[in-house]
Amino acid sequence: MALKCYSYDIVCQEIPDEVTLAVNISCCPNRCPGCHSPWLWENEGEPLTEELLENLMEKYGNAVTCFCFMGGDADPGEIGRLAGWIRQNRPDIRTGWYSGKESLPEGFDDSVLDYLKLGPYKAELGGLKSPLTNQKFFKKSPDGIWEEHRFAK
């Protein structure tokens, strides 16, 4: 399945200490109750290709320090491939992935990521800023170890 970019924006809260180009990916298979973006369940948007990534990188240039895939659980292999493409072609840009799954898919090469959010949204537990959240956010340390990061309340 080809991933599709529904929308994108420059954000400063999704990844701590980064100015992030966040790409919202449609066709989300998770369908979490209480989802804040149910329109991303549909198969809509522009194909997420290297050409689109290059156009976005050229458009925003040095204004961003990070690129984050918001979704993409329908094809995690493609997320890994595209993150690897960014790593190879724009080594100055860090990469992140917000996945609604509990864990990375077996065999996923996490070396292409600097940041990772795992876990479905559960309204009764709240999002990453909630002390009760089931979601986990990780940042890769300089030595390649994933460290959990807690968001401020």
Side-chain angles (χ1 to χ4, degrees):
M1 158 179 266
L3 296 178
K4 290 186 179 178
C5 169
Y6 182 88
S7 62
Y8 58 88
D9 204 354
I10 305 296
V11 297
C12 295
Q13 292 185 21
E14 302 295 346
I15 307 285
D17 305 319
E18 302 281 1
V19 178
T20 302
L21 175 56
V23 171
N24 295 307
I25 300 171
S26 63
C27 237
C28 181
N30 300 322
R31 305 190 183 247
C32 304
C35 174
H36 60 75
S37 305
W39 53 88
L40 295 178
W41 298 355
E42 304 305 321
N43 185 15
E44 296 182 18
E46 180 178 356
L48 188 56
T49 63
E50 293 96 337
E51 182 180 3
L52 177 60
L53 294 178
E54 183 62 34
N55 290 341
L56 290 172
M57 298 293 184
E58 285 190 24
K59 180 177 181 178
Y60 293 104
N62 294 329
V64 297
T65 60
C66 185
F67 185 98
C68 189
F69 298 93
M70 306 296 286
D73 289 317
D75 192 346
E78 187 67 358
I79 292 292
R81 191 184 73 74
L82 292 170
W85 184 90
I86 293 170
R87 170 104 44 227
Q88 181 177 6
N89 291 279
R90 291 295 301 272
D92 57 317
I93 300 289
R94 286 169 288 286
T95 56
W97 183 24
Y98 265 46
S99 168
K101 298 293 185 184
E102 296 282 352
S103 61
L104 283 175
E106 190 172 322
F108 185 87
D109 178 11
D110 66 6
S111 71
V112 297
L113 298 173
D114 299 291
Y115 301 98
L116 179 63
K117 191 272 311 176
L118 292 171
Y121 177 72
K122 295 183 177 178
E124 68 277 11
L125 300 176
L128 286 171
K129 290 186 178 181
S130 168
L132 303 176
T133 189
N134 63 298
Q135 297 178 321
K136 296 189 182 306
F137 183 86
F138 301 92
K139 178 180 181 177
K140 192 179 289 176
S141 69
D143 60 358
I145 304 297
W146 287 104
E147 298 173 347
E148 188 171 356
H149 173 85
R150 300 299 280 173
F151 280 66
K153 297 180 212 174

